[in-house]
Each structure stands twice: as structure tokens, then as C-alpha cells.
Amino acid sequence: MKKLKMNAWRVPGAIRLVACALLAFVATGACAQTPIENVAPGDALARLKAHKGVIVLNITSTDPQCTFCIRANAKYVALAQSAPGDVKFIQTSWAPWANFPPEIRELMKLHGMGGVPARLTYKDGVLVSKLLGEPPNETAPPPPSAQKITGNVPQVPPAKIAAHIAATPGVLVVELTSFETSCVFCMKGNPVFEAWMQTAGGGTTKFARVVYTPWVSVSQDGFARALGVAGLPAYFTYRDGKLLRTKTGAASAAELDKDLIDGL
């Protein structure tokens, strides 16, 4: 049985694809409607491990201030309604969104996930898939895959980036990212950063990219941890080895220009 891949949210008609194809539990006839059971934060992990078969947990918030959560929740409901009847859907939520229950902090730390919304898929008590962030709209074109990234940004291994920064004179912009398609925001941000690099800084600004595989390994990297990085992508501007500016999350070229190098 192949692993479940929740990242099929990206393609048109993804809800039915995930339910009927990528979950690899194709049923004859139409998919049955599946209710979502709400579970207490302290019971979520036990439910995942005890369930026989496929079970999907939505870790989220009902707080309107978490706009990513609200949009992702609606997509999760649609997925559950279109899934085969033998797939179990559960959800744990709280509000305000920033008040993470301690049990959820432990659960997300266990799985290397730093924010909400997040989804975990287990089969027979074993993790088979995870997804962090809001799934892209099904009607939108698929984001660039890792294979479409040109590689024009000089790559520096995580273990060598500190020395590279110290040895680089002038302005240097560093991108921490991943080529894994499960890092949704990396897939959005990578091509933008690469295109922006071609014109940013008038040719005097230098650039470097640090790639983490798997992307959740950033939480174990000493360089990233020292900078307080909790998610990818993340950007840092240095001048003569001194940190000047930081930015997190996928952004437009205009935002990168304004927040990272404008006025330097």
C-alpha cells in the first residue's frame, strides 16, 4: 500500500483525487459522506495510534483571526464529505488560535510541525503523511515543483552557512527553504525569490540558499534555531556578516525588495 499524500490539494479536482485516488482506497460507486468527529486536544494522539485503518486529524483553530485555519477548515470538510466511508476524519481545535494547548504543542513537536493549520494521516497507528499550512485553492494552477526550480541561487549546506556569511563582504540575502512539495509555502516562495534575485540590489547584492530535506529538519538545525526559525521559507539580510533584517513566509517580489534590501 503506498503512502497517503495529502499534497494532492494542489491540482484541480483534488478533493476527489485525494479521496478516491491518492488515498489509494478507491471505492466502487460514489464516495460516501463522512462526518468529522471533534476530539479534545489531549485525546488526539491516542485516537491516531489506536485507530485501525486510515484516520486523518485536522489540527486547527476556529478563531476568525487565523484566516489560514478558517479557509483550510472548509476544505477539510469538503474532503471528508467526498472520502471513502472507511477513512476516519477527526479534528481538534481551540481559540484564540495562538493559545496552543500543551498537548498540541507536544503533538506538533513530535511531528516537527510549528504552526496551524496542520494535518496528520495515520494508518493502523503509524504516521504516513503530514501537511502544514493551508492547502492551495483547487482552481488555482499547481505551484512550481522542485524540478522546475532552476537552481540559479547559490546553495550553501546548513553546516557551512554561518562561515559563508562571515566570509561574504557587502550585502548578502540568505533564503532558508526546501524543495519538498510538502512545504507548501516553500513551493510558493522559491520561484519568486529566484526571479527577484535576478534584478534585486542592482547587481551588488549577493544571495545564498540553504535547503533543508526533509523541510522539518530545520527545527533541528543549530543555525536556524539560533535565529528563531520556526517555519520555512525564511529570509535574512546581512552586511559584512552582521544581521540587518529578517522576513518569514512566502512573499511577493515587491515585499522581498521592501523588507530585505530597500534603503541599504
Side-chain angles (χ1 to χ4, degrees):
M1 184 67 70
K2 59 185 177 181
K3 291 185 177 181
L4 317 188
K5 292 186 179 179
M6 300 301 289
N7 299 312
W9 289 101
R10 295 190 175 84
V11 298
I15 291 175
R16 191 160 294 277
L17 262 176
V18 171
C20 299
L22 292 183
L23 284 178
F25 287 91
V26 180
T28 56
C31 292
Q33 289 194 349
T34 306
I36 299 172
E37 178 185 351
N38 289 305
V39 300
D43 297 334
L45 183 58
R47 289 293 303 276
L48 290 173
K49 290 186 173 181
H51 187 79
K52 298 301 182 183
V54 178
I55 183 169
V56 186
L57 169 66
N58 188 34
I59 306 170
T60 188
S61 176
T62 54
D63 185 352
Q65 296 299 314
C66 183
T67 54
F68 290 131
C69 298
I70 298 304
R71 292 195 295 263
N73 294 347
K75 294 175 182 179
Y76 188 70
V77 170
L79 174 64
Q81 290 175 340
S82 300
D86 56 354
V87 178
K88 177 69 176 178
F89 289 84
I90 61 176
Q91 176 171 292
T92 188
S93 61
W94 60 90
W97 75 268
N99 292 352
F100 280 67
E103 301 93 340
I104 294 301
R105 289 187 181 277
E106 289 300 315
L107 176 62
M108 298 189 74
K109 180 180 179 180
L110 175 67
H111 292 91
M113 309 178 82
V116 290
R119 279 153 299 286
L120 299 172
T121 302
Y122 271 64
K123 181 177 184 293
D124 295 331
V126 178
L127 177 71
V128 293
S129 178
K130 59 185 176 182
L131 174 65
L132 177 63
E134 177 197 358
N137 293 328
E138 287 78 25
T139 56
S145 69
Q147 289 73 34
K148 293 182 180 179
I149 296 171
T150 65
N152 289 332
V153 184
Q155 287 190 38
V156 181
K160 297 183 178 181
I161 187 60
H164 181 80
I165 292 169
T168 302
V171 177
L172 170 68
V173 179
V174 177
E175 179 196 38
L176 307 188
T177 189
S178 178
F179 289 165
E180 283 194 319
T181 54
S182 57
C183 182
V184 176
F185 295 111
C186 297
M187 290 295 98
K188 291 180 180 179
N190 288 342
V192 175
F193 181 79
E194 199 156 317
W196 172 70
M197 182 198 71
Q198 306 303 318
T199 58
T204 61
T205 301
K206 302 175 182 67
F207 298 87
R209 168 180 277 164
V210 181
V211 177
Y212 293 91
T213 306
W215 75 266
V216 295
S217 65
V218 67
S219 63
Q220 306 301 319
D221 177 58
F223 174 78
R225 292 175 66 178
L227 292 168
V229 176
L232 297 176
Y235 310 92
F236 303 90
T237 303
Y238 295 84
R239 178 188 282 148
D240 298 327
K242 181 181 179 180
L243 179 63
L244 299 179
R245 300 180 181 178
T246 65
K247 183 173 183 60
T248 58
S252 66
E255 290 170 328
L256 292 173
D257 207 68
K258 175 178 180 295
D259 295 340
L260 294 175
I261 63 172
D262 187 38
L264 295 181

